[in-house]
Structure formats: C-alpha cells, structure tokens
Amino acid sequence: MEDDTGGGSSPCFAHLLVDGHPVDAETARDVARFRRAERARLLAARTMPVQERERATAALIAGLDRIVAPKPGITIAAYWPIRGEPDLRPWMARAHAAGAGILLPVVVAKATPLEFHGWSPGCPMARGIWNIPVPVDGEARVPDIVIAPLLGIDRDLYRLGNGGGYYDRTLVRLQPRPRIIGLGFAGCDLPSIYPMPWDVPMDEALLADGTGAVAERPARHVTG
C-alpha cells in the first residue's frame, strides 16, 4: 500500500484507487516517503540492551493487566513478535489459562485481509508468509479485542506499522468492530503519520513508559 517506487501517473489520472479509496497519487507518494523514513528511524530505536528490553516489556505487560481482563467468553488477538516487537507470549499464555481465547494474525495471501486463528501454548506452529509462525490447526475467528504492535503512533492514535497495510485492511472489515489497542515501546509517538483514507485509528494506545491514550471518538467494542 505504501510502495512509492513507481513513476508518476498521467495528468488525466489525477487520482488512484487504493483499496477502494480515491487517493491523489502525489500525496500518496509524499506520505509513503515520510513513513518510510520514520520506520527506519523507529526500527533503529527498537535496538536496546537486553535488560532494558526486559524492563520495557514487563512494563507493557503490567499495563495490559490494568486495561484488559482475560476471562472465558472473550477472544483476544495478539501477535507473534517480529522485528524487535514487544514479546507478549508470557501474557498470552496467562490470558489463555484464564479462559480467554487467544488468536494470532495469519496472512492468507499477500495484499489481502488477515485472518485470526486460535492459538494455545505449545500448539503446533508452521512458518507462514515471511516465515512468521502461525497456528497449524487454529480456526479463523473474529476477535473481541485486537492488540496491535506499534512501530509508531500519532496524537490521533493512527498507527504506523511495518508498511504492508494488513491491519488496516483487516480492521476496517471486522464486524462488529473490536476494541483495538496499540502497544509499543516508549518514544514511538509522532505528531502525525498523515493518515490516509484507509488508515484505521486505535481505540487506545499503551506505551512502555506508562503513557497511554484513549480515543475521544465513540467506541464500538466489547470491553475486556
């Protein structure tokens, strides 16, 4: 969704259709270039000593414990950590033990919405697209809560991810809309990611330094 390597469009094609949205081509390229630079900067900032990372991850897990109460009947989509993302697997195991259904995102095909498949500690896993581990037998389900890893987050709670657009492409289609929590290390906040029509804002954000935010817009979700 943010590949800016192509040439310019003919003047008679002033707008492109991106995931069903009319988008000015020049604006889309400018935003893509800005985000690419910010991704490189924020990915570099994720490099930290082991003890610092452990403290930051523990702080995030403590924060999750304050705002999410896993229990039977609740389904929570988390993620398998890649590219230095916070490792929530201990929290996922505890949430599963508390009776919550834990799901992992699965890329079924490139440039398509994700599916969320059931996961449990020790369940069979296989390498999916980009070698990300995914459950072998987990069935696709619609989560009540989605925990999305943040590379960046802006003041309006728009998320900067890895650039594939998978979460945005997925979250906009989920019915009913889940409660969406963005989670990341301290220092990933931005004034703006210059949101495009396809970007989906988080309902809440939680950072490892204890800061957080809740969207002012009316929420349409199941509380955990």
Side-chain angles (χ1 to χ4, degrees):
M1 292 177 70
E2 295 184 11
D3 181 8
D4 64 349
T5 57
S9 298
S10 168
C12 64
F13 294 103
H15 293 79
L16 301 177
L17 201 65
V18 180
D19 200 27
H21 302 283
V23 178
D24 179 74
E26 186 174 352
T27 299
R29 283 196 298 270
D30 288 345
V31 171
R33 288 167 182 155
F34 165 79
R35 293 185 183 184
R36 180 173 295 176
E38 286 301 292
R39 284 192 187 94
R41 180 181 68 83
L42 292 166
L43 273 172
R46 274 184 179 170
T47 303
M48 63 184 78
V50 172
Q51 289 185 336
E52 182 180 346
R53 176 177 292 277
E54 289 176 349
R55 286 194 297 269
T57 301
L60 283 170
I61 287 175
L64 271 181
D65 285 337
R66 290 192 295 271
I67 65 173
V68 177
K71 58 187 177 181
I74 293 289
T75 54
I76 303 170
Y79 59 89
W80 197 270
I82 62 171
R83 307 186 78 188
E85 293 167 346
D87 187 351
L88 299 185
R89 286 175 291 182
W91 185 88
M92 291 158 51
R94 287 198 290 109
H96 179 270
I102 305 300
L103 314 178
L104 288 179
V106 176
V107 179
V108 179
K110 292 183 179 180
T112 63
L114 299 166
E115 289 185 359
F116 294 103
H117 290 195
W119 171 90
S120 60
C123 74
M125 304 282 282
R127 294 283 177 177
I129 293 179
W130 297 297
N131 285 323
I132 300 172
V134 297
V136 171
D137 301 318
E139 63 179 90
R141 302 170 68 182
V142 176
D144 299 309
I145 300 170
V146 173
I147 301 172
L150 301 174
L151 186 52
I153 186 82
D154 75 9
R155 65 168 69 97
D156 295 315
L157 301 190
Y158 283 97
R159 170 184 179 269
L160 186 68
N162 291 322
Y166 286 96
Y167 273 96
D168 295 313
R169 200 179 283 118
T170 304
L171 296 174
V172 74
R173 291 171 168 84
L174 292 181
Q175 294 295 331
R177 176 187 167 106
R179 174 187 177 190
I180 309 169
I181 302 171
L183 181 141
F185 291 121
C188 72
D189 47 316
L190 301 164
S192 178
I193 69 162
Y194 300 100
M196 301 298 284
W198 57 79
D199 289 314
V200 177
M202 307 289 98
D203 293 317
E204 302 169 57
L206 175 66
L207 303 186
D209 60 2
T211 59
V214 178
E216 295 182 0
R217 57 191 168 273
R220 294 177 296 162
H221 56 65
V222 177
T223 57

